[in-house]
PDB file of all heavy atoms in Angstrom:
ATOM      1  N   ARG X   1      26.746 -20.426 -43.628  1.00 97.00           N
ATOM      2  CA  ARG X   1      27.786 -20.280 -42.614  1.00 97.00           C
ATOM      3  C   ARG X   1      27.214 -20.437 -41.200  1.00 97.00           C
ATOM      4  O   ARG X   1      27.707 -19.841 -40.255  1.00 97.00           O
ATOM      5  CB  ARG X   1      28.464 -18.911 -42.755  1.00 97.00           C
ATOM      6  CG  ARG X   1      29.187 -18.685 -44.072  1.00 97.00           C
ATOM      7  CD  ARG X   1      30.417 -19.564 -44.251  1.00 97.00           C
ATOM      8  NE  ARG X   1      31.335 -19.397 -43.149  1.00 97.00           N
ATOM      9  CZ  ARG X   1      32.417 -18.646 -43.179  1.00 97.00           C
ATOM     10  NH1 ARG X   1      32.752 -18.011 -44.269  1.00 97.00           N
ATOM     11  NH2 ARG X   1      33.185 -18.545 -42.119  1.00 97.00           N
ATOM     12  N   GLY X   2      26.144 -21.209 -41.079  1.00 97.00           N
ATOM     13  CA  GLY X   2      25.548 -21.447 -39.766  1.00 97.00           C
ATOM     14  C   GLY X   2      24.097 -21.018 -39.711  1.00 97.00           C
ATOM     15  O   GLY X   2      23.592 -20.355 -40.616  1.00 97.00           O
ATOM     16  N   ALA X   3      23.450 -21.393 -38.619  1.00 97.00           N
ATOM     17  CA  ALA X   3      22.008 -21.171 -38.457  1.00 97.00           C
ATOM     18  C   ALA X   3      21.631 -19.691 -38.379  1.00 97.00           C
ATOM     19  O   ALA X   3      20.477 -19.338 -38.587  1.00 97.00           O
ATOM     20  CB  ALA X   3      21.515 -21.887 -37.203  1.00 97.00           C
ATOM     21  N   GLU X   4      22.584 -18.817 -38.081  1.00 96.00           N
ATOM     22  CA  GLU X   4      22.266 -17.391 -37.930  1.00 96.00           C
ATOM     23  C   GLU X   4      22.877 -16.549 -39.041  1.00 96.00           C
ATOM     24  O   GLU X   4      23.011 -15.340 -38.907  1.00 96.00           O
ATOM     25  CB  GLU X   4      22.730 -16.913 -36.552  1.00 96.00           C
ATOM     26  CG  GLU X   4      22.011 -17.673 -35.431  1.00 96.00           C
ATOM     27  CD  GLU X   4      22.378 -17.199 -34.044  1.00 96.00           C
ATOM     28  OE1 GLU X   4      23.471 -16.627 -33.854  1.00 96.00           O
ATOM     29  OE2 GLU X   4      21.562 -17.406 -33.140  1.00 96.00           O
ATOM     30  N   SER X   5      23.238 -17.193 -40.153  1.00 97.00           N
ATOM     31  CA  SER X   5      23.867 -16.460 -41.253  1.00 97.00           C
ATOM     32  C   SER X   5      22.852 -16.133 -42.342  1.00 97.00           C
ATOM     33  O   SER X   5      21.849 -16.834 -42.514  1.00 97.00           O
ATOM     34  CB  SER X   5      25.027 -17.275 -41.840  1.00 97.00           C
ATOM     35  OG  SER X   5      24.564 -18.466 -42.452  1.00 97.00           O
ATOM     36  N   GLY X   6      23.108 -15.055 -43.069  1.00 97.00           N
ATOM     37  CA  GLY X   6      22.230 -14.635 -44.156  1.00 97.00           C
ATOM     38  C   GLY X   6      22.527 -13.209 -44.581  1.00 97.00           C
ATOM     39  O   GLY X   6      23.451 -12.578 -44.082  1.00 97.00           O
ATOM     40  N   TRP X   7      21.721 -12.712 -45.503  1.00 98.00           N
ATOM     41  CA  TRP X   7      21.932 -11.373 -46.064  1.00 98.00           C
ATOM     42  C   TRP X   7      21.090 -10.325 -45.351  1.00 98.00           C
ATOM     43  O   TRP X   7      19.931 -10.550 -45.035  1.00 98.00           O
ATOM     44  CB  TRP X   7      21.593 -11.380 -47.556  1.00 98.00           C
ATOM     45  CG  TRP X   7      22.625 -12.090 -48.340  1.00 98.00           C
ATOM     46  CD1 TRP X   7      22.590 -13.379 -48.786  1.00 98.00           C
ATOM     47  CD2 TRP X   7      23.889 -11.567 -48.743  1.00 98.00           C
ATOM     48  NE1 TRP X   7      23.751 -13.681 -49.443  1.00 98.00           N
ATOM     49  CE2 TRP X   7      24.569 -12.587 -49.433  1.00 98.00           C
ATOM     50  CE3 TRP X   7      24.520 -10.336 -48.581  1.00 98.00           C
ATOM     51  CZ2 TRP X   7      25.845 -12.407 -49.969  1.00 98.00           C
ATOM     52  CZ3 TRP X   7      25.787 -10.154 -49.117  1.00 98.00           C
ATOM     53  CH2 TRP X   7      26.432 -11.175 -49.795  1.00 98.00           C
ATOM     54  N   MET X   8      21.709  -9.161 -45.120  1.00 97.00           N
ATOM     55  CA  MET X   8      21.027  -8.006 -44.525  1.00 97.00           C
ATOM     56  C   MET X   8      21.405  -6.787 -45.361  1.00 97.00           C
ATOM     57  O   MET X   8      22.434  -6.787 -46.031  1.00 97.00           O
ATOM     58  CB  MET X   8      21.491  -7.774 -43.082  1.00 97.00           C
ATOM     59  CG  MET X   8      21.165  -8.906 -42.135  1.00 97.00           C
ATOM     60  SD  MET X   8      21.743  -8.541 -40.453  1.00 97.00           S
ATOM     61  CE  MET X   8      20.626  -7.231 -39.974  1.00 97.00           C
ATOM     62  N   TYR X   9      20.580  -5.757 -45.280  1.00 98.00           N
ATOM     63  CA  TYR X   9      20.952  -4.511 -45.952  1.00 98.00           C
ATOM     64  C   TYR X   9      20.935  -3.360 -44.962  1.00 98.00           C
ATOM     65  O   TYR X   9      20.252  -3.382 -43.948  1.00 98.00           O
ATOM     66  CB  TYR X   9      20.050  -4.234 -47.155  1.00 98.00           C
ATOM     67  CG  TYR X   9      18.660  -3.764 -46.828  1.00 98.00           C
ATOM     68  CD1 TYR X   9      18.335  -2.412 -46.874  1.00 98.00           C
ATOM     69  CD2 TYR X   9      17.649  -4.663 -46.482  1.00 98.00           C
ATOM     70  CE1 TYR X   9      17.054  -1.968 -46.583  1.00 98.00           C
ATOM     71  CE2 TYR X   9      16.372  -4.241 -46.198  1.00 98.00           C
ATOM     72  CZ  TYR X   9      16.083  -2.891 -46.247  1.00 98.00           C
ATOM     73  OH  TYR X   9      14.815  -2.458 -45.953  1.00 98.00           O
ATOM     74  N   ARG X  10      21.767  -2.363 -45.293  1.00 97.00           N
ATOM     75  CA  ARG X  10      21.893  -1.170 -44.447  1.00 97.00           C
ATOM     76  C   ARG X  10      21.732   0.042 -45.368  1.00 97.00           C
ATOM     77  O   ARG X  10      22.293   0.064 -46.459  1.00 97.00           O
ATOM     78  CB  ARG X  10      23.277  -1.196 -43.793  1.00 97.00           C
ATOM     79  CG  ARG X  10      23.545  -0.136 -42.805  1.00 97.00           C
ATOM     80  CD  ARG X  10      24.740  -0.418 -41.912  1.00 97.00           C
ATOM     81  NE  ARG X  10      25.967  -0.766 -42.610  1.00 97.00           N
ATOM     82  CZ  ARG X  10      27.017  -1.326 -42.005  1.00 97.00           C
ATOM     83  NH1 ARG X  10      26.990  -1.612 -40.717  1.00 97.00           N
ATOM     84  NH2 ARG X  10      28.104  -1.603 -42.683  1.00 97.00           N
ATOM     85  N   VAL X  11      20.952   1.017 -44.928  1.00 98.00           N
ATOM     86  CA  VAL X  11      20.751   2.251 -45.689  1.00 98.00           C
ATOM     87  C   VAL X  11      21.249   3.409 -44.832  1.00 98.00           C
ATOM     88  O   VAL X  11      20.789   3.596 -43.707  1.00 98.00           O
ATOM     89  CB  VAL X  11      19.272   2.459 -46.060  1.00 98.00           C
ATOM     90  CG1 VAL X  11      19.089   3.769 -46.835  1.00 98.00           C
ATOM     91  CG2 VAL X  11      18.743   1.288 -46.873  1.00 98.00           C
ATOM     92  N   ASN X  12      22.214   4.144 -45.370  1.00 98.00           N
ATOM     93  CA  ASN X  12      22.791   5.299 -44.662  1.00 98.00           C
ATOM     94  C   ASN X  12      23.231   4.929 -43.247  1.00 98.00           C
ATOM     95  O   ASN X  12      23.022   5.681 -42.302  1.00 98.00           O
ATOM     96  CB  ASN X  12      21.798   6.467 -44.648  1.00 98.00           C
ATOM     97  CG  ASN X  12      21.393   6.890 -46.046  1.00 98.00           C
ATOM     98  OD1 ASN X  12      22.191   6.842 -46.976  1.00 98.00           O
ATOM     99  ND2 ASN X  12      20.147   7.270 -46.211  1.00 98.00           N
ATOM    100  N   GLY X  13      23.820   3.747 -43.103  1.00 97.00           N
ATOM    101  CA  GLY X  13      24.370   3.324 -41.820  1.00 97.00           C
ATOM    102  C   GLY X  13      23.383   2.673 -40.871  1.00 97.00           C
ATOM    103  O   GLY X  13      23.752   2.255 -39.785  1.00 97.00           O
ATOM    104  N   GLU X  14      22.102   2.584 -41.254  1.00 96.00           N
ATOM    105  CA  GLU X  14      21.070   2.012 -40.389  1.00 96.00           C
ATOM    106  C   GLU X  14      20.495   0.739 -41.011  1.00 96.00           C
ATOM    107  O   GLU X  14      20.355   0.654 -42.228  1.00 96.00           O
ATOM    108  CB  GLU X  14      19.926   3.013 -40.184  1.00 96.00           C
ATOM    109  CG  GLU X  14      20.341   4.333 -39.568  1.00 96.00           C
ATOM    110  CD  GLU X  14      20.653   4.231 -38.093  1.00 96.00           C
ATOM    111  OE1 GLU X  14      19.974   3.454 -37.396  1.00 96.00           O
ATOM    112  OE2 GLU X  14      21.571   4.933 -37.645  1.00 96.00           O
ATOM    113  N   PHE X  15      20.128  -0.209 -40.167  1.00 96.00           N
ATOM    114  CA  PHE X  15      19.460  -1.434 -40.626  1.00 96.00           C
ATOM    115  C   PHE X  15      17.953  -1.222 -40.518  1.00 96.00           C
ATOM    116  O   PHE X  15      17.419  -1.223 -39.416  1.00 96.00           O
ATOM    117  CB  PHE X  15      19.886  -2.639 -39.774  1.00 96.00           C
ATOM    118  CG  PHE X  15      21.311  -3.054 -40.011  1.00 96.00           C
ATOM    119  CD1 PHE X  15      22.318  -2.630 -39.163  1.00 96.00           C
ATOM    120  CD2 PHE X  15      21.634  -3.872 -41.090  1.00 96.00           C
ATOM    121  CE1 PHE X  15      23.634  -3.008 -39.387  1.00 96.00           C
ATOM    122  CE2 PHE X  15      22.946  -4.257 -41.316  1.00 96.00           C
ATOM    123  CZ  PHE X  15      23.948  -3.825 -40.469  1.00 96.00           C
ATOM    124  N   PRO X  16      17.254  -1.028 -41.651  1.00 95.00           N
ATOM    125  CA  PRO X  16      15.804  -0.816 -41.601  1.00 95.00           C
ATOM    126  C   PRO X  16      15.069  -2.046 -41.066  1.00 95.00           C
ATOM    127  O   PRO X  16      15.549  -3.173 -41.197  1.00 95.00           O
ATOM    128  CB  PRO X  16      15.423  -0.576 -43.063  1.00 95.00           C
ATOM    129  CG  PRO X  16      16.690  -0.137 -43.717  1.00 95.00           C
ATOM    130  CD  PRO X  16      17.775  -0.894 -43.011  1.00 95.00           C
ATOM    131  N   SER X  17      13.911  -1.823 -40.501  1.00 92.00           N
ATOM    132  CA  SER X  17      13.133  -2.927 -39.930  1.00 92.00           C
ATOM    133  C   SER X  17      12.076  -3.427 -40.911  1.00 92.00           C
ATOM    134  O   SER X  17      11.116  -4.062 -40.506  1.00 92.00           O
ATOM    135  CB  SER X  17      12.473  -2.474 -38.626  1.00 92.00           C
ATOM    136  OG  SER X  17      11.624  -1.372 -38.891  1.00 92.00           O
ATOM    137  N   LYS X  18      12.246  -3.108 -42.198  1.00 94.00           N
ATOM    138  CA  LYS X  18      11.287  -3.591 -43.191  1.00 94.00           C
ATOM    139  C   LYS X  18      12.013  -4.316 -44.312  1.00 94.00           C
ATOM    140  O   LYS X  18      13.214  -4.149 -44.502  1.00 94.00           O
ATOM    141  CB  LYS X  18      10.414  -2.470 -43.718  1.00 94.00           C
ATOM    142  CG  LYS X  18      11.153  -1.303 -44.340  1.00 94.00           C
ATOM    143  CD  LYS X  18      10.232  -0.323 -45.025  1.00 94.00           C
ATOM    144  CE  LYS X  18       9.623   0.683 -44.084  1.00 94.00           C
ATOM    145  NZ  LYS X  18       8.880   1.734 -44.779  1.00 94.00           N
ATOM    146  N   SER X  19      11.265  -5.094 -45.043  1.00 95.00           N
ATOM    147  CA  SER X  19      11.786  -5.865 -46.171  1.00 95.00           C
ATOM    148  C   SER X  19      12.417  -4.946 -47.215  1.00 95.00           C
ATOM    149  O   SER X  19      11.983  -3.811 -47.412  1.00 95.00           O
ATOM    150  CB  SER X  19      10.623  -6.637 -46.796  1.00 95.00           C
ATOM    151  OG  SER X  19      10.909  -6.999 -48.120  1.00 95.00           O
ATOM    152  N   ALA X  20      13.427  -5.475 -47.910  1.00 96.00           N
ATOM    153  CA  ALA X  20      14.077  -4.718 -48.980  1.00 96.00           C
ATOM    154  C   ALA X  20      13.097  -4.371 -50.094  1.00 96.00           C
ATOM    155  O   ALA X  20      13.273  -3.380 -50.796  1.00 96.00           O
ATOM    156  CB  ALA X  20      15.258  -5.512 -49.537  1.00 96.00           C
ATOM    157  N   GLY X  21      12.045  -5.164 -50.233  1.00 97.00           N
ATOM    158  CA  GLY X  21      11.034  -4.896 -51.246  1.00 97.00           C
ATOM    159  C   GLY X  21      10.072  -3.794 -50.852  1.00 97.00           C
ATOM    160  O   GLY X  21       9.346  -3.258 -51.685  1.00 97.00           O
ATOM    161  N   ALA X  22      10.073  -3.434 -49.578  1.00 97.00           N
ATOM    162  CA  ALA X  22       9.154  -2.414 -49.071  1.00 97.00           C
ATOM    163  C   ALA X  22       9.861  -1.094 -48.760  1.00 97.00           C
ATOM    164  O   ALA X  22       9.210  -0.089 -48.492  1.00 97.00           O
ATOM    165  CB  ALA X  22       8.454  -2.913 -47.806  1.00 97.00           C
ATOM    166  N   TYR X  23      11.190  -1.085 -48.785  1.00 97.00           N
ATOM    167  CA  TYR X  23      11.946   0.128 -48.452  1.00 97.00           C
ATOM    168  C   TYR X  23      12.200   0.924 -49.731  1.00 97.00           C
ATOM    169  O   TYR X  23      12.930   0.480 -50.615  1.00 97.00           O
ATOM    170  CB  TYR X  23      13.276  -0.236 -47.776  1.00 97.00           C
ATOM    171  CG  TYR X  23      13.973   0.956 -47.169  1.00 97.00           C
ATOM    172  CD1 TYR X  23      13.913   1.190 -45.809  1.00 97.00           C
ATOM    173  CD2 TYR X  23      14.677   1.863 -47.961  1.00 97.00           C
ATOM    174  CE1 TYR X  23      14.549   2.296 -45.249  1.00 97.00           C
ATOM    175  CE2 TYR X  23      15.304   2.964 -47.410  1.00 97.00           C
ATOM    176  CZ  TYR X  23      15.230   3.180 -46.053  1.00 97.00           C
ATOM    177  OH  TYR X  23      15.856   4.277 -45.501  1.00 97.00           O
ATOM    178  N   THR X  24      11.601   2.111 -49.827  1.00 97.00           N
ATOM    179  CA  THR X  24      11.768   2.960 -51.005  1.00 97.00           C
ATOM    180  C   THR X  24      13.047   3.784 -50.870  1.00 97.00           C
ATOM    181  O   THR X  24      13.283   4.420 -49.841  1.00 97.00           O
ATOM    182  CB  THR X  24      10.557   3.901 -51.175  1.00 97.00           C
ATOM    183  OG1 THR X  24       9.375   3.094 -51.236  1.00 97.00           O
ATOM    184  CG2 THR X  24      10.669   4.713 -52.454  1.00 97.00           C
ATOM    185  N   VAL X  25      13.845   3.752 -51.924  1.00 97.00           N
ATOM    186  CA  VAL X  25      15.138   4.429 -51.944  1.00 97.00           C
ATOM    187  C   VAL X  25      14.968   5.878 -52.374  1.00 97.00           C
ATOM    188  O   VAL X  25      14.132   6.186 -53.220  1.00 97.00           O
ATOM    189  CB  VAL X  25      16.087   3.714 -52.938  1.00 97.00           C
ATOM    190  CG1 VAL X  25      17.439   4.383 -52.989  1.00 97.00           C
ATOM    191  CG2 VAL X  25      16.229   2.252 -52.572  1.00 97.00           C
ATOM    192  N   ALA X  26      15.782   6.757 -51.788  1.00 95.00           N
ATOM    193  CA  ALA X  26      15.824   8.152 -52.202  1.00 95.00           C
ATOM    194  C   ALA X  26      17.192   8.426 -52.848  1.00 95.00           C
ATOM    195  O   ALA X  26      18.185   7.811 -52.458  1.00 95.00           O
ATOM    196  CB  ALA X  26      15.636   9.068 -50.987  1.00 95.00           C
ATOM    197  N   PRO X  27      17.241   9.328 -53.824  1.00 93.00           N
ATOM    198  CA  PRO X  27      18.534   9.666 -54.413  1.00 93.00           C
ATOM    199  C   PRO X  27      19.521  10.087 -53.315  1.00 93.00           C
ATOM    200  O   PRO X  27      19.158  10.806 -52.389  1.00 93.00           O
ATOM    201  CB  PRO X  27      18.212  10.833 -55.354  1.00 93.00           C
ATOM    202  CG  PRO X  27      16.775  10.616 -55.720  1.00 93.00           C
ATOM    203  CD  PRO X  27      16.143  10.067 -54.464  1.00 93.00           C
TER     204      PRO X  27
END
C-alpha cells in the first residue's frame, strides 16, 4: 500500500523499539 506501508506490533498500547523476535511476552 505504498513505500511506507508494512506490519507493526503493539504491546499493551505501546510500540516496542525492538524486533518481534526479541520481545519476550508476559502473561
Side-chain angles (χ1 to χ4, degrees):
R1 297 292 305 260
E4 299 183 336
S5 65
W7 287 98
M8 297 180 70
Y9 74 99
R10 185 164 52 195
V11 179
N12 302 325
E14 301 286 324
F15 290 97
S17 59
K18 57 171 84 172
S19 159
Y23 191 101
T24 304
V25 180

